Amino acid sequence: MHIQTLLDKLWQQYCHDTPMVETIYKLFLAREKKIVNDHIALRTFNDPRVSISVLAKPFLDAGYIEGGEYHFEIKKLFAKHYEHENPAYPKVFISELLTEKFSIDLQDTVQNILNTISEEYLENPEKLLTRGVSWTPVRYKTYQALLAESEYAAWLYAFGFRANHFTVNVNQLTNMKTIEDVNEFLIQHKIPLNTSGGAIKGTPDELLEQSSTKAFPVKREFEEGFYSIPLAYYEFALRYPKPNGELYSGFVTASADKIFESTDNS
Ligand code: NI
């Protein structure tokens, strides 16, 4: 699969399952000439069958290189970002849940679901990434048990492998120049912002400012019936130049910790 095909598929899945994202994208397109993605975010477990290094493979094969590494102590996550010299390709931020830091019950649930993924998918990360949930049954009771320990684990259980979010590159917009402009535009269109930790995460000193919408809830079918739970949000990033003049390409752990809360149920 060509890397552009993979990115397109992830985008189509993201828009299809979260129609509000497509609505916002179209609002942006009506105001701006083009929308370029700063990054996409992928989530996984640190099991060797599906870990960061597995999901990163199609990107590395397409010429992406490793960027930074990130530790999220509170959320018990490890992450890496990958970037491509062609600015048309978004950075790829992949995080993994450090499952050994959670209860035996959570670890068992993760093992059980991973055990049901067929070899065909485990050997083909492109397929895995675009398939969504690869396990059955998906029980609301299990979702809630995971949620009590880790919103991240519960989200992965309910929605599987997919892009958690896409992020608009604000530097590439022509009419909206700042994160404040973007937030104002969203507010005008009655799009709810994630205000956990403030509407703008990061500062010019940290060389990265981001904001995001609240996660949009979707009706997810579980064994027990349909439940409305948050799926995905849309994010916006403005990068500042480093002393050498190049735009900062990394991520800020403190801000990302807050943005992970966008999919919290609270
Ligand atoms: Ni992000």
Side-chain angles (χ1 to χ4, degrees), residues 15 118 179 216 251:
C15 287
S118 69
I179 289 284
F216 301 108
F251 293 83

Side-chain angles (χ1 to χ4, degrees), residues 39 41 165 167 210 233 235 251 259:
H39 67 272
H165 61 269
T167 302
Q210 297 195 102
Y233 52 88
E235 191 175 73
F251 293 83
I259 284 180

